[in-house]
Amino acid sequence: MTESNDVLIVGGSIAGVRTAEGLRRHGFDGRVTILEAGPDLPYDRPALSKQVLAAGHSTESVMLRTQADLDKARIELRRGCRAAGLDLDAGTVRLAGGGTLAYSNLVIATGAAPRRLATAPAGAGVHYLRTLADAERLREAIDGPVRVVVVGGGFIGSEVAAAAAARSASVTVVEPYAFPLSRVLGDLVGKRLARLHESQGVQLVLGRSVSAIGADRAGGQRVVLDDGTTLGCEAVVVGIGAVPATDWLAGSGLDVADGVVCDEFCRASAPGVFAVGDVARWPNPLFAEAMRVEHWTNAVEQAGVVAWNIAHPDRPRPYAPVPYVWSDQYGSRLQIVGRPRPSDDVRVVLDDDGFVALYVRDHELVGAFGLNAPSQVLALRRALAARTRLDGITL
Ligand SMILES: Cc1cc2nc3c(=O)[nH]c(=O)nc-3n(C[C@H](O)[C@H](O)[C@H](O)COP(=O)(O)OP(=O)(O)OC[C@H]3O[C@@H](n4cnc5c(N)ncnc54)[C@H](O)[C@@H]3O)c2cc1C
C-alpha cells in the first residue's frame, strides 16, 4: 500500500527542514515527512569549508537539529532514503530502495551537487566538498605541511585555500579568470581579493585552467595546466561550482531548466508541487529576473515563503528577496548583496578598515560587495529592498 503524506519534502538539509518547521509555525497540522538521501541528521553546510576544516572541531557543533527537535515539531525525517522518480499523475514519489510515497503537497529541496571536472573523478587525493563526510576526508588530507592545489577561486575554493593555509599547508589556487571571484564581481574587486590570498602566502595561478589530473609515482597528484605547467601536490580540491540535483525528476514531465522552474510563489509546473533552496529557479519580482540562488540565506528565506504558501494556498505570497551571501576567508568577512555583474559600473565608496563597492546599472543600485563592512552591507541590503535611489543612499 502507498503511504500518504500531507506534505512530502525531498531533501533534508536547511531548505527542507526550515520548510517543515515553517509549516508548523504557520499552523499546519498535517503529516510532514522529509526524505533525505544522506545518512546524517541535518547539518550546516557553510561550516564544512570553515569550522570543520579547522583543527579541533566537533561534528556536533555543525548539526542543525537533534532528533528530539524534529520529534517535538512532529517532523518525520527518513535518512538514507533517496527519491528516484516522480509520478505527477499519481501524486507519488518512487524511492530508490523500492516503494512509493503519496503526497498532497510535494516540496523539492534536493539542493545541488558539486560540478565535476571530467578529468578528475573523486578518489584518493582528489576532493570535492559538499557533505560532512567530504569535509572530514579533506580535513585529514590537509593535516600537516602538505601541498594542496585548489581548482577554482570561487567561494568554496577560496575558503578551502584559507583553511588549508591556516593549517600550514602550502596552497596554490588555479583560477581561469583574471582574479578570484572576478567572474561574479569584476576585476576591481577580484584584484582586491587576490591581495587577500597573497598576503597569507597562498599562491595564485590566474587565467589558467586544468587540463589533466593524475597520480604521480610517489603517491601524490600531478595537476597539469592548459599551458603545460605541472603542479605536484598531495591533495587536489576541486571547487568549480554546483549543479542542481534534479536527475531524479527526469521523465516526470515537471519543468526543469537549470533547476526546478517555479512561478513567483515558488510553485513548480504541476499542482501541489513547490521547490525551495539551491534547486529552485523562480522569477524574482524585485529584480525582474529568473534566478536560482545557491546561498544559505536564500534557502532559509524561501523556505518561509513556501511554508506559508502551502499553509495558506488562498493567500499566496510572492518571493521577492534581495539575494545575500557571506564568505569567511583568512579572518575576513566577505558579503555580497543583490545581483552584481562584472559589466556593472563598480564604485568604491569605502576603502579604509573595511571596503565597500557599489554595483550600478542604468543609474540604479543593483548590488554591493563588502569586505569587513557588515553594517554598511546590511544598510545596502535594506536600500536594495526599498529600491532606494542611488543619491538617497548614505553609509
Ligand atoms: C562547503 C560549502 C560552504 C558553503 N558556505 C556558504 C556560505 O558561507 N554562505 C552561504 O550563503 N552559503 C554557503 N554555502 C551554500 C549553502 O550551504 C547552500 O545554499 C544550502 O546548503 C542550500 O540548502 P538546500 O537545503 O537548498 O540544499 P542542500 O544543502 O544541498 O541540501 C539538499 C539535500 O537534499 C538531499 N538530496 C539530494 N537529492 C536527493 C534525493 N533524490 N532524495 C533525497 N534526498 C536528496 C541531499 O543529500 C542534501 O542533504 C556553502 C555550501 C557548501 C557546500
Side-chain angles (χ1 to χ4, degrees):
M1 204 179 83
T2 299
E3 186 191 300
S4 150
N5 294 273
D6 297 312
V7 179
L8 183 61
I9 300 173
V10 184
S13 182
I14 186 74
V17 170
R18 289 292 190 110
T19 303
E21 292 175 340
L23 283 164
R24 294 293 182 237
R25 214 175 36 253
H26 296 312
F28 185 87
D29 201 36
R31 180 170 183 182
V32 177
T33 304
I34 304 180
L35 306 182
E36 167 53 43
D40 302 300
L41 280 166
Y43 54 85
D44 206 18
R45 245 174 255 285
L48 301 183
S49 48
K50 306 174 185 69
Q51 293 86 336
V52 178
L53 294 186
H57 98 101
S58 83
T59 301
E60 286 69 42
S61 66
V62 305
M63 301 321 281
L64 283 170
R65 297 291 179 269
T66 62
Q67 186 59 53
D69 295 330
L70 298 171
D71 292 345
K72 199 166 158 210
R74 291 179 297 116
I75 296 166
E76 188 188 340
L77 172 66
R78 298 194 187 176
R79 293 188 257 162
C81 195
R82 179 176 290 279
L86 170 63
D87 184 334
L88 291 172
D89 293 333
T92 56
V93 167
R94 182 167 50 81
L95 307 181
T100 55
L101 295 177
Y103 60 81
S104 301
N105 285 284
L106 174 69
V107 180
I108 298 170
T110 43
R115 177 171 288 120
R116 305 274 160 175
L117 202 59
T119 50
V126 179
H127 299 260
Y128 291 83
L129 181 54
R130 187 80 196 178
T131 66
L132 188 53
D134 293 339
E136 286 176 336
R137 262 194 306 272
L138 179 57
R139 200 163 77 101
E140 292 282 301
I142 60 173
D143 190 18
V146 290
R147 295 164 302 164
V148 178
V149 172
V150 178
V151 182
F155 286 116
I156 290 182
S158 295
E159 289 189 355
V160 168
R167 300 197 65 186
S168 68
S170 157
V171 184
T172 303
V173 177
V174 181
E175 163 59 44
Y177 280 79
F179 300 103
L181 281 171
S182 63
R183 183 180 67 82
V184 181
L185 295 169
D187 286 356
L188 189 151
V189 169
K191 202 181 252 178
R192 173 90 198 195
L193 296 176
R195 287 217 307 271
L196 184 61
H197 285 281
E198 285 167 345
S199 70
Q200 303 296 315
V202 167
Q203 199 197 337
L204 299 177
V205 179
L206 300 169
R208 294 263 76 94
S209 53
V210 169
S211 43
I213 298 177
D216 68 15
R217 287 208 190 103
Q221 298 292 322
R222 282 159 44 91
V223 179
V224 184
L225 307 186
D226 53 359
D227 65 351
T229 308
T230 299
L231 306 170
C233 61
E234 282 70 47
V236 181
V237 187
V238 182
I240 55 168
V243 287
T246 53
D247 45 339
W248 65 284
L249 299 169
S252 67
L254 199 70
D255 198 359
V256 172
D258 183 32
V260 175
V261 178
C262 296
D263 66 9
E264 67 196 286
F265 304 104
C266 309
R267 298 179 300 208
S269 63
V273 182
F274 294 75
V276 62
D278 282 14
V279 78
R281 169 173 294 282
W282 87 105
N284 183 336
L286 196 60
F287 288 82
E289 184 192 329
M291 53 179 76
R292 190 173 67 75
V293 176
E294 289 177 2
H295 302 318
W296 190 91
T297 306
N298 177 66
V300 170
E301 294 179 348
Q302 196 167 24
V305 171
V306 168
W308 172 272
N309 289 348
I310 292 173
H312 303 283
D314 47 335
R315 285 178 288 149
R317 291 178 178 164
Y319 181 50
V322 176
Y324 166 80
V325 58
W326 84 92
S327 172
D328 294 330
Q329 302 171 21
Y330 309 104
S332 285
R333 171 145 292 198
L334 287 66
Q335 293 169 301
I336 303 172
V337 286
R339 299 294 281 175
R341 288 187 201 146
S343 54
D344 292 333
D345 171 15
V346 184
R347 303 182 188 175
V348 176
V349 290
L350 180 74
D351 194 356
D352 194 351
D353 284 345
F355 173 92
V356 176
L358 306 185
Y359 288 72
V360 177
R361 206 177 302 151
D362 300 329
H363 309 289
E364 264 188 57
L365 180 71
V366 288
F369 167 81
L371 184 64
N372 298 324
S375 58
Q376 289 87 346
V377 173
L378 183 65
L380 288 163
R381 194 175 192 220
R382 290 203 183 109
L384 282 159
R387 294 174 183 263
T388 308
R389 282 168 53 97
L390 208 47
D391 54 12
I393 293 171
T394 46
L395 290 177

